[in-house]
Amino acid sequence: MFRNNTKLKKIESQYFDLSQVSVQQSTSSSGNYSTFYGCKALEEIEDIGLPAGGYNSTFDNCEKLKTIAVLRVQEDTAANVRAFYCRELENITIVGTIGTSTFNFQLCTKLTHDSLMSIVNALEEKTEGTWSVALGATNLAKLTDAEKAMATQKGWTLA
């Protein structure tokens, strides 16, 4: 939708409403595939109702992106390794439940504590299997042992 728009700086909710859009939910090759890919000047995405769907390179190569107001997920929503390839990302609010081990925020080393807690709080309770979310060492250092324990008590490994 916005792919390779190199002059776009902000996506404003008064101009875009995607809340009625239906996307394939789980596969990382569908849904929000490359929606903002290559938007090199993009700094902020307000809540435009972006639906929970696969996040495959969705925010890849967004070199200046600092804020994703709302990222909607469902238990089966998947993301590929380049979904959040935006090193300046500071603010993200997760709405819904992360239920797959495909989310990787390790390159987003500037995430705020509130953003990290939004991710931790969105993790689905797991009782079987191996589940992991990649936050990276820099982000893990921002969390207390008690906050990390919130994830492990839900059955997740923080990597």
Side-chain angles (χ1 to χ4, degrees):
M1 182 171 191
F2 301 100
R3 184 180 173 122
N4 289 325
N5 186 330
T6 58
K7 297 184 190 242
L8 185 64
K9 289 188 178 186
K10 184 175 182 178
I11 307 287
E12 298 178 76
S13 59
Q14 71 182 31
Y15 300 111
F16 297 97
D17 180 6
L18 303 180
S19 62
Q20 301 303 311
V21 173
S22 176
V23 299
Q24 189 174 0
Q25 295 299 328
S26 61
T27 63
S28 63
S29 62
S30 62
N32 299 306
Y33 176 74
S34 294
T35 305
F36 303 99
Y37 176 93
C39 293
K40 295 181 183 291
L42 184 61
E43 296 176 9
E44 180 180 358
I45 303 169
E46 291 182 354
D47 183 5
I48 59 171
L50 189 68
Y55 294 102
N56 182 343
S57 300
T58 305
F59 307 99
D60 188 359
N61 219 3
C62 292
E63 297 172 356
K64 295 183 179 181
L65 184 60
K66 289 185 180 181
T67 300
I68 301 170
V70 174
L71 183 80
R72 289 174 181 77
V73 296
Q74 293 181 351
E75 293 87 356
D76 63 348
T77 299
N80 75 339
V81 71
R82 294 194 63 97
F84 302 97
Y85 203 80
C86 34
R87 296 179 188 271
E88 297 300 315
L89 188 63
E90 297 173 7
N91 307 299
I92 188 168
T93 301
I94 307 293
V95 173
T97 303
I98 296 173
T100 64
S101 287
T102 59
F103 285 81
N104 186 330
F105 297 96
Q106 65 185 352
L107 293 177
C108 307
T109 59
K110 296 183 179 182
L111 286 173
T112 65
H113 181 264
D114 286 347
S115 295
L116 292 167
M117 289 309 298
S118 180
I119 295 166
V120 169
N121 289 328
L123 297 174
E124 182 179 39
E125 297 271 343
K126 299 290 189 179
T127 56
E128 296 178 1
T130 303
W131 304 94
S132 177
V133 62
L135 298 179
T138 301
N139 287 324
L140 288 174
K142 299 173 190 176
L143 298 174
T144 66
D145 288 342
E147 291 165 339
K148 293 174 193 173
M150 292 172 61
T152 57
Q153 289 168 359
K154 291 182 178 185
W156 290 79
T157 299
L158 298 176

